[in-house]
Amino acid sequence: MDSLAGKIALITGAGSGIGRAVSLALAREGCRVVLAGRRENRLARVAGEVRGHGGEAFPVACDVGSREAVDALAKSAGRVGVVQILVNSAGIAPAASFLEMEDELLEEVLRVNFMGTCYCCKRFLGPMIGAGWGRVINIASTTAKTGYSHTAAYTASKHAVLGLTRVLALETARKGVTVNAICPGYVDTELTRENARLMAAKVGATAPEVLERFARTSPQRRLVTPDEVAELAVLLAGPASDSVTGQGINVDGGAFMG
Ligand code: NAD
């Protein structure tokens, strides 16, 4: 299978940020995109953008942290066809010191970021293997490979996503399926801006100043754009990446080299 044209891609967290950018980029390559996420209005907006460029989009509201909701998502997506490309981008990143973080929030981060990825992989990998071709692309983070203060739950969830990626790559290596993770640094999205706003209040700086601090953690002295992450997802989904599997690829301007 060569080009991406006509393939069915399912993207979680598709209503904003990286998920939106990946959805638009895959649609531009000719994929029919199933857009999954919590906020119906956001999904409808992205679906409108895809259709505006002549693409096909199928928005489905879904909380990926709910097994039942992901079952329902699989059913809805099944009406479009076999999902050949799965991009797990749904995620949350509340910042707090470990001792300050309520157990409920800790569980919620692991439920959405890690279990959500597991639930989607469980439901969509089998049919990919059955069809003899598939791509799973997990949006992890550089926190999948290192630790940053005030991100215990998030860092643990992303380490878990990268671990899952590596094992699934081994278990699908001879079945025509590749499983990779993209590990972005600070990306210019709502998630980053919200964290900057919360941090600003704590450290007595303005949100733009905190964003500037985030940018300065990169040797390139800038935030990554969602489109840059999306272009790597397109590359990983395409035929040039047939032998790339089990990898966690950093997109962070050189901030973390490992
Ligand atoms: P974002 O907030 O714009 O996107 C996250 C999307 O996930 C939102 O549309 C949100 O509604 C959706 N979502 C959240 N919980 C969900 C749930 N339970 N079920 C379904 N959808 C849910 O932020 P983003 O920066 O685009 O984040 C996308 C992914 O990239 C996340 O997994 C995040 O951890 C990862 N990431 C982001 C950065 C960054 O700096 N922004 C860096 C590294 C990794």
Side-chain angles (χ1 to χ4, degrees), residues 13 15-19 37-39 62-65 89-92 112 139-141 154 158 184-187 189-192:
S16 62
I18 294 169
R38 282 174 315 178
R39 299 174 294 181
C62 172
D63 171 358
V64 298
S89 188
I92 53 174
V112 174
I139 308 299
S141 162
Y154 184 73
K158 295 298 186 179
Y186 285 113
V187 185
T189 66
E190 284 169 35
L191 183 146
T192 301

Side-chain angles (χ1 to χ4, degrees), residues 170-218:
L170 292 175
E171 294 187 4
T172 59
R174 287 178 298 284
K175 300 182 194 303
V177 175
T178 66
V179 186
N180 289 291
I182 296 179
C183 299
Y186 285 113
V187 185
D188 190 3
T189 66
E190 284 169 35
L191 183 146
T192 301
R193 288 177 182 277
E194 174 63 8
N195 270 342
R197 205 180 54 74
L198 293 174
M199 193 171 152
K202 277 190 190 157
V203 301
T206 65
E209 283 166 352
V210 173
L211 278 177
E212 181 56 28
R213 282 188 210 174
F214 289 168
R216 291 185 68 77
T217 62
S218 159

Side-chain angles (χ1 to χ4, degrees), residues 84-107:
Q84 294 155 295
I85 300 164
L86 168 66
V87 181
N88 288 300
S89 188
I92 53 174
S97 78
F98 178 66
L99 291 180
E100 279 171 4
M101 187 173 268
E102 300 290 346
D103 289 346
E104 289 72 20
L105 187 54
L106 214 151
E107 285 168 4

Side-chain angles (χ1 to χ4, degrees), residues 19-252:
R20 170 183 166 275
V22 171
S23 302
L24 293 174
L26 287 173
R28 216 171 30 240
E29 296 295 318
C31 291
R32 306 165 73 202
V33 290
V34 181
L35 309 172
R38 282 174 315 178
R39 299 174 294 181
E40 285 186 48
N41 57 336
R42 294 302 196 93
L43 298 176
R45 201 186 299 169
V46 178
E49 289 182 87
V50 169
R51 291 174 191 142
H53 290 99
E56 272 186 83
F58 308 87
V60 184
C62 172
D63 171 358
V64 298
S66 154
R67 232 183 312 191
E68 295 72 24
V70 178
D71 281 337
L73 170 65
K75 217 176 208 176
S76 301
R79 287 195 274 275
V80 181
V82 173
V83 170
Q84 294 155 295
I85 300 164
L86 168 66
V87 181
N88 288 300
S89 188
I92 53 174
S97 78
F98 178 66
L99 291 180
E100 279 171 4
M101 187 173 268
E102 300 290 346
D103 289 346
E104 289 72 20
L105 187 54
L106 214 151
E107 285 168 4
E108 172 77 356
V109 174
L110 288 164
R111 194 172 63 79
V112 174
N113 295 4
F114 177 58
M115 291 312 298
T117 301
C118 287
Y119 295 150
C120 289
C121 288
K122 267 248 172 135
R123 273 123 193 111
F124 296 107
L125 251 184
M128 282 183 201
I129 291 168
W133 192 93
R135 297 283 198 253
V136 177
I137 300 167
N138 295 323
I139 308 299
S141 162
T142 49
T143 64
K145 300 178 177 180
T146 184
Y148 299 107
S149 177
H150 290 71
T151 65
Y154 184 73
T155 294
S157 73
K158 295 298 186 179
H159 270 66
V161 166
L162 184 56
L164 175 75
T165 301
R166 288 170 168 156
V167 171
L168 295 184
L170 292 175
E171 294 187 4
T172 59
R174 287 178 298 284
K175 300 182 194 303
V177 175
T178 66
V179 186
N180 289 291
I182 296 179
C183 299
Y186 285 113
V187 185
D188 190 3
T189 66
E190 284 169 35
L191 183 146
T192 301
R193 288 177 182 277
E194 174 63 8
N195 270 342
R197 205 180 54 74
L198 293 174
M199 193 171 152
K202 277 190 190 157
V203 301
T206 65
E209 283 166 352
V210 173
L211 278 177
E212 181 56 28
R213 282 188 210 174
F214 289 168
R216 291 185 68 77
T217 62
S218 159
Q220 293 185 340
R221 299 286 186 263
R222 66 176 181 88
L223 302 178
V224 172
T225 70
D227 287 343
E228 289 174 306
V229 179
E231 287 309 319
L232 178 57
V234 168
L235 184 70
L236 288 172
S241 303
D242 274 347
S243 62
V244 180
T245 195
Q247 303 305 306
I249 303 173
N250 302 349
V251 183
D252 65 349

